[in-house]
Amino acid sequence: MTESKGSTNQNSQSKISTVLKNGIKNSSESSDDIKSNSIGHKQSNGSTQCKLISSSPADRDFEKRNSPSSHSLFTIIIQIDIVAWSCFLIAFLFRVYLIGYPSNIVFDELHYGKFVSLYLKGIFYFDSQPPLGKQLIAAAGYLAGYDGSNAFMEIGGSYGDNVPLKALRFVPILFGSLLVPVIYHLILELGFSNKTAALGALFIILDNALLTQSRFILMDSILIFWSMCGLWAFLKFRKQPLLHTSWFGWLFLSSTFLSCAFCVKFVGLYTFGVALFVALYDLWWSLPNKSIPTRKLWYQSLVYVISFLIWPLAIYFSIFYLHLSILTRAGPHDNIMTSAFQASLEGGLASITKGQPLEIVHGSQITLRHTHGRTCWLHSHAPVYPVKYSDGRGSSHQQQVTCYSFKDVNNWWIVKRSNLDDLTVSEPRDRIKHGDIIQLAHGMTSRLLNSHDVAAPLSPQHQEVSCYIDYNISMPAQNLWRIELINKDETNGYWHTIRSRVRLIHVDSSQALKFSGKLLPDWGFNQHEVVTDRLLNQDDTIWNVEEHRYTKLSDQKERERDMVDAEFVPLAPTQLSFWEKMKELQYKMISFDQENIPDHMFACDSPIDWLFLTKGIAYWIDPNSNAQIYLIGNPFLWLFSLFSIFSYLLIGSFYLLRRRRKLFDITESDWTSFVNIGLVCVSGYFLNFLPHFFIEKTLFLHHYLPSLIFQILILVTLLEHLSIWLSKSFFGIVVIPILAIAVYFFKILLPFSYGNASMSAEEINQLSLMKTWNFLIHK
């Protein structure tokens, strides 16, 4: 909404003028006028004034005839940017074409479609990424009448007749199409012309990877849309008067859009970081301005804290509140969560632990679950450690103790006092509390949990853990353990099932029982190693009792028989608050390595592979022909825009050196536009690209798409900037062949976006522009 000073009512009558202006520009307008309209601000008395310059006499006449002063109390002026909407329509038609084809599961539709189905059933699922994107698609499925009954078993599997496939795919298609006009307006806000904005929008349309990724039930088009929307709103915010209503409004919108981006995928934080970086840059350069009162700078800083920290967290927590409110039933991913979390779900662990005693006492039969990280239970079995390990070190040759990832009778242990031999529960019950010394007898072998000064099998820096066997040699038992309850205040200092988080401290060595995470070889049945560690305060030393019953039989043989015959369906559901669930879920999302898929044939070896488009991803192939969907970008756009990044850095270095010598080669307006490229586009590119070098996960081509958007922005804006040096006609002369080449490569690779063209092996090989493009070919 643009406020015109000339429309002030002289009689102080209140008038409201709502101007929805997307800026139809005449193609003959001058470059300076365009920049004035796009940047349109200057510093005056420490604030920012917005100035709108009409692009043509016809437009100025239109504004004059439709100004608020020439009409009655309310005037609404609507202008439609035909270029932006035309680009949207073209993008939408490309994306919506063959929306229901193939009627098979394409690549990660396997995962996201399954998540949508679980949403509609209210069944809990675990994903290492935030849920907003899945919620939007689930909402579309709900409105289309989908009941979530499709199984989503394998890539290439057929969708059932009950799946509203077009409705589910429409959400990414819509967001991918809306991205195009957003890019158009973002370029305008950077201070560049309509021609440059249109070229940027066309390049987004002409990239095959962006087209393919937005046609299926995938998250990237939703992520990128929110990110670019946030940046566009942020650029609008930069042009508003400091602490003006419009300043607050655009900042609020920007923060909301950017928060939605990282609520789809955590990588949205990188673009959020771009806005934060530019905001701090502006604030830093405002500090020397004495015309801005110090009070205003403090207010500005406070608003930044609210907008870039408090408000995004509020959105993030709200989305997870909705997430956990919907997913209340137990499902296939429960075992990733702690016992307490599982027991809070309908039909989950509460059904398994129904009726079991609450307090751990002398004589309790328990299973001890590793609380954080990998799901497994403290386990032992009759086989012993080998006399010597593969590296030549000797072992204790005692009974093995491991951590086993499945329910098993050998996971049961009996809690006992060291001065009592009878394992049955007596009255009054001898409750175990924080600081008590106990022994743990293995249920099936009756041997006691032990540790001693012998190096662990795979972690020689730690002590081995075993069940003690008396070989009549000089190796006495060291089988006493001290109970350390981490959350003792919640249970009045007593050890409880499920809720109590416990560390078992080996008395003789003062080390804690720990899950090391290492996989034992065949002699250990490929189960996980258990050790003791001097470092007590770590997550892998925390355990909790999951299943619990009281020992009633004193005879060992009868007790073992009872354990074998006992049901593994032996309390009421645990009530966890939203914050308790939220804390655990965030921990699991950060620590659980769900995105690391070793040796995937379509994974990239390094982020460097993305730059040169050396490898794509096979999404789907027709079982009866070579028709296939393959994620690959437009090679011309990828390489040409990559060259523009290095060009910008070289030109920028040249400018800085010249300006250091007080030589100013371009106007301040052009310099401001050039700096905007660096502040927003170049920083956005590197903030989205460089972190992938430091994150341990499997790299796929679609991870580069947010960086690609910034790469294209750099290309088109730099082309206009170069026209300052070469000639005014440079832009038009260069754009036509660039567009032609981009269209050519887009067209020849288009069959891989739709998967509807049956091709021979020879035709596919001809389209393999790089040897590393591993298209699928039927023999």
Side-chain angles (χ1 to χ4, degrees):
M1 188 164 67
T2 306
E3 184 177 342
S4 175
K5 292 182 179 179
S7 62
T8 306
N9 193 324
Q10 300 299 324
N11 298 320
S12 301
Q13 181 180 6
S14 174
K15 293 186 178 183
I16 300 175
S17 174
T18 304
V19 180
L20 304 175
K21 189 172 184 63
N22 287 325
I24 303 177
K25 304 290 187 287
N26 190 292
S27 60
S28 64
E29 61 188 349
S30 69
S31 177
D32 288 340
D33 283 345
I34 292 169
K35 290 179 175 60
S36 299
N37 185 33
S38 299
I39 302 173
H41 67 283
K42 60 182 180 179
Q43 291 297 327
S44 177
N45 298 324
S47 63
T48 304
Q49 280 190 320
C50 294
K51 181 180 180 182
L52 178 67
I53 298 178
S54 299
S55 56
S56 69
D59 286 340
R60 289 194 291 270
D61 182 60
F62 176 83
E63 290 179 12
K64 181 178 179 181
R65 286 185 287 104
N66 294 277
S67 66
S69 59
S70 62
H71 288 275
S72 58
L73 187 60
F74 296 101
T75 299
I76 298 177
I77 301 173
I78 300 176
Q79 294 187 8
I80 298 175
D81 193 318
I82 296 175
V83 176
W85 282 102
S86 298
C87 290
F88 165 75
L89 182 60
I90 295 170
F92 181 76
L93 291 176
F94 270 116
R95 283 156 175 75
V96 81
Y97 176 62
L98 294 179
I99 185 175
Y101 179 85
S103 58
N104 304 91
I105 298 170
V106 175
F107 192 56
D108 276 349
E109 283 189 335
L110 175 70
H111 304 296
Y112 296 124
K114 187 177 296 184
F115 295 155
V116 167
S117 294
L118 294 173
Y119 255 122
L120 296 173
K121 291 181 177 181
I123 295 175
F124 176 81
Y125 72 84
F126 176 81
D127 184 27
S128 60
Q129 297 292 341
L132 178 58
K134 278 85 75 177
Q135 290 175 345
L136 292 171
I137 298 176
Y142 174 79
L143 293 174
Y146 179 44
D147 60 2
S149 58
N150 197 68
F152 290 90
M153 296 300 294
E154 60 181 357
I155 295 175
S158 297
Y159 284 101
D161 296 333
N162 63 323
V163 179
L165 182 57
K166 294 180 180 180
L168 299 180
R169 286 180 177 173
F170 182 80
V171 176
I173 284 174
L174 180 62
F175 279 94
S177 304
L178 288 172
L179 172 66
V180 174
V182 169
I183 293 295
Y184 175 87
H185 286 289
L186 192 153
I187 294 172
L188 292 180
E189 293 303 324
L190 283 170
F192 293 88
S193 68
N194 298 70
K195 293 180 292 184
T196 300
L199 182 64
L202 287 174
F203 281 170
I204 299 298
I205 294 172
L206 292 174
D207 184 72
N208 303 76
L210 291 172
L211 170 63
T212 305
Q213 198 68 9
S214 60
R215 293 191 62 249
F216 304 103
I217 309 173
L218 304 170
M219 298 294 110
D220 296 272
S221 62
I222 305 174
L223 160 73
I224 297 172
F225 169 80
W226 287 124
S227 297
M228 295 302 110
C229 250
L231 274 188
W232 165 74
F234 182 79
L235 293 175
K236 297 284 285 187
F237 148 78
R238 290 184 77 203
K239 300 177 183 179
Q240 309 309 312
L242 181 62
L243 301 180
H244 188 270
T245 304
S246 60
W247 186 88
F248 285 103
W250 284 111
L251 180 58
F252 169 80
L253 275 179
S254 174
S255 177
T256 301
F257 292 150
L258 291 169
S259 300
C260 288
F262 73 74
C263 287
V264 175
K265 281 189 173 184
F266 282 128
V267 293
L269 284 168
Y270 302 149
T271 306
F272 192 97
V274 176
L276 180 59
F277 164 71
V278 178
L280 294 177
Y281 173 90
D282 290 343
L283 180 61
W284 176 257
W285 287 105
S286 298
L287 294 179
N289 191 343
K290 296 293 185 180
S291 64
I292 304 178
T294 304
R295 173 175 47 85
K296 279 194 172 185
L297 291 175
W298 279 111
Y299 286 160
Q300 184 178 2
S301 301
L302 177 62
V303 172
Y304 280 175
V305 171
I306 295 172
S307 302
F308 290 111
L309 179 62
I310 298 175
W311 178 240
L313 286 176
I315 294 174
Y316 186 77
F317 289 143
S318 298
I319 289 171
F320 270 96
Y321 183 84
L322 178 63
H323 177 73
L324 293 172
S325 298
I326 295 173
L327 306 181
T328 58
R329 298 170 57 195
H333 297 167
D334 294 359
N335 62 354
I336 294 175
M337 310 307 292
T338 63
S339 303
F341 194 106
Q342 291 183 66
S344 70
L345 300 172
E346 299 171 14
L349 191 64
S351 65
I352 297 176
T353 59
K354 184 178 181 181
Q356 70 180 19
L358 178 64
E359 295 181 320
I360 310 300
V361 301
H362 170 82
S364 286
Q365 296 179 16
I366 63 174
T367 61
L368 278 167
R369 172 181 163 143
H370 178 234
T371 302
H372 297 292
R374 184 176 183 86
T375 301
C376 63
W377 291 264
L378 188 67
H379 176 96
S380 186
H381 38 239
V384 297
Y385 290 111
V387 176
K388 285 194 174 183
Y389 299 124
S390 57
D391 59 2
R393 291 183 296 112
S395 77
S396 65
H397 203 49
Q398 301 278 329
Q399 181 173 305
Q400 296 176 16
V401 172
T402 65
C403 205
Y404 190 43
S405 298
F406 301 93
K407 296 281 187 174
D408 189 89
V409 69
N410 281 309
N411 297 346
W412 286 95
W413 300 82
I414 303 174
V415 179
K416 69 179 293 291
R417 297 287 192 183
S418 59
N419 58 343
L420 297 174
D421 292 328
D422 189 3
L423 296 179
T424 58
V425 176
S426 60
E427 296 294 343
R429 293 170 183 162
D430 183 11
R431 298 185 295 174
I432 308 299
K433 63 182 183 298
H434 177 76
D436 282 357
I437 305 298
I438 66 162
Q439 294 174 314
L440 284 176
H442 185 238
M444 296 304 295
T445 63
S446 297
R447 289 177 177 146
L448 299 176
L449 187 69
N450 187 77
S451 184
H452 34 231
D453 190 16
V454 174
L458 305 178
S459 307
Q461 71 274 26
H462 300 310
Q463 282 191 179
E464 175 193 274
V465 176
S466 63
C467 280
Y468 183 73
I469 302 174
D470 188 359
Y471 288 122
N472 292 322
I473 58 176
S474 58
M475 184 181 284
Q478 298 181 21
N479 50 30
L480 299 179
W481 302 84
R482 186 176 72 254
I483 298 299
E484 182 179 290
L485 299 177
I486 298 169
N487 56 335
K488 59 181 182 297
D489 294 338
E490 297 178 17
T491 58
N492 294 322
Y494 288 97
W495 190 7
H496 283 191
T497 184
I498 294 179
R499 290 300 296 268
S500 290
R501 299 190 299 276
V502 61
R503 285 193 178 98
L504 295 169
I505 309 299
H506 187 237
V507 172
D508 291 274
S509 64
S510 298
Q511 299 186 30
L513 187 72
K514 175 188 174 181
F515 164 81
S516 76
K518 297 179 180 179
L519 209 61
L520 295 170
D522 291 342
W523 57 257
F525 307 98
N526 302 115
Q527 297 172 18
H528 287 85
E529 181 190 45
V530 173
V531 299
T532 63
D533 193 345
R534 294 183 181 86
L535 182 59
L536 306 184
N537 296 321
Q538 52 180 308
D539 291 337
D540 283 328
T541 61
I542 302 176
W543 306 79
N544 67 272
V545 173
E546 185 168 277
E547 296 181 71
H548 178 211
R549 54 180 179 248
Y550 288 156
T551 303
K552 300 177 181 178
L553 301 171
S554 57
D555 182 79
Q556 179 179 341
K557 294 297 183 184
E558 292 182 6
R559 187 170 62 245
E560 292 174 6
R561 191 180 303 112
D562 182 62
M563 285 184 181
V564 172
D565 295 338
E567 283 188 82
F568 280 89
V569 185
L571 322 161
T574 300
Q575 299 299 322
L576 293 182
S577 69
F578 163 72
W579 295 110
E580 289 175 304
K581 287 185 175 182
M582 183 71 177
K583 180 181 177 182
E584 178 179 337
L585 186 54
Q586 298 309 303
Y587 176 88
K588 293 289 185 180
M589 290 170 66
I590 294 171
S591 62
F592 195 79
D593 195 8
Q594 194 178 31
E595 295 191 13
N596 194 7
I597 311 169
D599 302 323
H600 195 288
M601 67 178 296
F602 295 105
C604 295
D605 299 326
S606 163
I608 298 297
D609 293 340
W610 297 335
L611 301 179
F612 305 101
L613 200 61
T614 56
K615 186 179 291 187
I617 311 172
Y619 274 14
W620 172 84
I621 185 169
D622 191 308
N624 302 314
S625 70
N626 286 320
Q628 60 187 285
I629 295 170
Y630 189 89
L631 182 74
I632 199 70
N634 187 318
F636 173 72
L637 287 179
W638 284 56
L639 297 176
F640 193 35
S641 58
L642 176 64
F643 174 74
S644 70
I645 298 174
F646 298 104
S647 300
Y648 176 86
L649 295 175
L650 287 173
I651 295 171
S653 300
F654 170 78
Y655 281 153
L656 289 173
L657 289 172
R658 296 275 292 174
R659 291 173 76 87
R660 188 67 176 168
R661 296 283 295 170
K662 304 301 181 182
L663 299 172
F664 303 98
D665 302 290
I666 56 177
T667 66
E668 280 304 306
S669 175
D670 290 330
W671 172 248
T672 300
S673 298
F674 187 82
V675 170
N676 280 341
I677 301 174
L679 281 176
V680 177
C681 304
V682 177
S683 68
Y685 175 81
F686 285 110
L687 280 174
N688 278 273
F689 176 61
L690 293 179
H692 292 285
F693 285 94
F694 309 101
I695 298 174
E696 288 291 333
K697 71 175 183 180
T698 306
L699 302 174
F700 292 106
L701 184 65
H702 59 81
H703 293 146
Y704 187 68
L705 294 182
S707 300
L708 176 67
I709 299 294
F710 289 102
Q711 198 170 296
I712 291 174
L713 290 174
I714 297 169
L715 170 62
V716 296
T717 52
L718 188 60
L719 283 175
E720 178 176 326
H721 184 79
L722 289 175
S723 65
I724 298 172
W725 286 98
L726 301 177
S727 71
K728 293 297 181 183
S729 60
F730 167 78
F731 188 83
I733 294 172
V734 169
V735 162
I736 294 174
I738 289 176
L739 267 177
I741 299 172
V743 169
Y744 170 76
F745 282 100
F746 175 72
K747 182 178 179 298
I748 64 171
L749 294 176
L750 203 55
F752 296 111
S753 294
Y754 294 116
N756 62 333
S758 180
M759 295 177 285
S760 65
E762 183 180 354
E763 289 173 322
I764 291 179
N765 287 327
Q766 288 176 351
L767 291 176
S768 297
L769 304 181
M770 297 186 186
K771 293 181 179 180
T772 52
W773 289 7
N774 44 355
F775 293 119
L776 298 180
I777 300 176
H778 285 300
K779 298 295 184 181

